[in-house]
Amino acid sequence: MATILETRGLSKRFGGLIATDNISFRLEDGARHALIGPNGAGKTTFINLLTGILAPTAGEILLDGNAITGMSAERRVRAGLVRTFQINQLFPAMTPLETLGLAVSERMGGGRDWWRATGSKTEIVREMIEVAERFRLIDVLEEPTSKLPYGKQRLLEMAVAFACRPRVLLLDEPAAGVPEAERHELLATLADLPGDVSVLLIEHDMDLVFSFADRISVLVNGALFREGSVAEISGDPNVRAVYLGDAIDG
């Protein structure tokens, strides 16, 4: 399959600390790929490098074969590389309707006049409703975000990212903090993501990783430790020793 996102020798040092060590990684077009590793493995640093929040010390990043290493975070989003965060980056006083209106209108060039543009362009309204339906937000569209159940807030953040029309979607622990009663809706939404969006999932919940991913990369001490199919990673005794332990059996 074609490679949509690639890193070559990607490294990041903070003084004498090596946070990311010579990572060469490929995400295939349409993939469902999980990135796992113990706390402090360098997962967040790696994602921050991919999205332009941090500049690498060495190496390069390519999106669809084009170098984006020096590109700003905003330009990467516009090029189709979009992420969510471990902690929601939402406006608590806004409703999902307003939040999605802002995201869709901004992508279409509405800018500061986003609310007027939302009301005057049927294509914006149509897309807002389609995204809300896909992410199971129709029933809470006019509720303040601060009053939404946490699972719905996580769905809203993913919906905002999806409204940017990503080619690559980086999901940073989407299930973190979501109560068990709300997890089914979130997992079903992830399973329904369209195949033309390539997904890199960063997650500690191994049940979610094993049910969602078709390929897994293991990061340890800032370096790529193992990579393979779900069966290969789940059965690898070295992976068990450094990270999974008994979690893989339960």
Side-chain angles (χ1 to χ4, degrees):
M1 294 180 65
T3 298
I4 185 69
L5 181 65
E6 182 179 1
T7 69
R8 297 175 181 171
L10 198 65
S11 299
K12 181 63 179 179
R13 290 176 172 81
F14 297 97
L17 173 66
I18 302 175
T20 304
D21 188 12
N22 194 35
I23 296 178
S24 293
F25 167 85
R26 291 184 178 184
L27 181 71
E28 293 182 345
D29 194 9
R32 299 293 184 260
H33 197 129
L35 179 66
I36 66 173
N39 290 331
K43 301 185 298 297
T44 298
T45 299
F46 182 61
I47 295 304
N48 286 341
L49 290 169
L50 292 179
T51 54
I53 293 175
L54 291 174
T57 304
E60 59 180 338
I61 306 165
L62 298 96
L63 180 64
D64 202 17
N66 299 309
I68 63 169
T69 315
M71 189 179 287
S72 69
E74 181 180 357
R75 286 184 61 201
R76 294 186 202 204
V77 170
R78 295 191 180 279
L81 181 59
V82 185
R83 73 174 292 180
T84 64
F85 292 81
Q86 286 184 17
I87 300 174
N88 282 334
Q89 306 290 305
L90 298 170
F91 300 105
M94 293 176 66
T95 66
L97 182 66
E98 293 167 335
T99 302
L100 291 175
L102 174 60
V104 175
S105 179
E106 176 65 25
R107 197 198 75 236
M108 293 185 176
R112 295 181 180 179
D113 205 24
W114 66 274
W115 189 244
R116 184 178 300 173
T118 299
S120 62
K121 294 185 178 181
T122 56
E123 65 267 28
I124 295 179
V125 175
R126 186 184 306 114
E127 184 170 339
M128 288 165 54
I129 297 303
E130 288 174 355
V131 173
E133 288 177 340
R134 174 178 291 278
F135 287 88
R136 294 162 168 82
L137 296 167
I138 287 291
D139 58 333
V140 295
L141 270 179
E142 298 187 54
E143 295 288 330
T145 295
S146 62
K147 296 187 180 301
L148 298 182
Y150 192 63
K152 290 290 189 183
Q153 292 184 30
R154 299 300 280 179
L155 287 171
L156 177 56
E157 187 174 20
M158 286 191 286
V160 170
F162 187 82
C164 297
R165 294 208 175 162
R167 301 176 64 200
V168 175
L169 181 59
L170 309 176
L171 298 175
D172 194 352
E173 297 198 35
V178 177
E180 189 64 33
E182 300 173 40
R183 289 172 58 84
H184 174 74
E185 189 173 50
L186 186 143
L187 298 183
T189 303
L190 288 176
D192 288 343
L193 287 172
D196 60 352
V197 177
S198 307
V199 181
L200 178 59
L201 172 75
I202 300 89
E203 186 55 69
H204 283 288
D205 185 323
M206 299 314 299
D207 289 337
L208 172 54
V209 168
F210 291 157
S211 65
F212 178 80
D214 48 39
R215 192 161 185 81
I216 300 174
S217 296
V218 184
L219 206 61
V220 177
N221 295 326
L224 196 58
F225 181 75
R226 289 287 188 276
E227 188 170 277
S229 67
V230 170
E232 289 169 337
I233 295 300
S234 63
D236 190 321
N238 294 311
V239 174
R240 289 173 177 266
V242 300
Y243 177 55
L244 294 176
D246 294 335
I248 202 166
D249 298 317

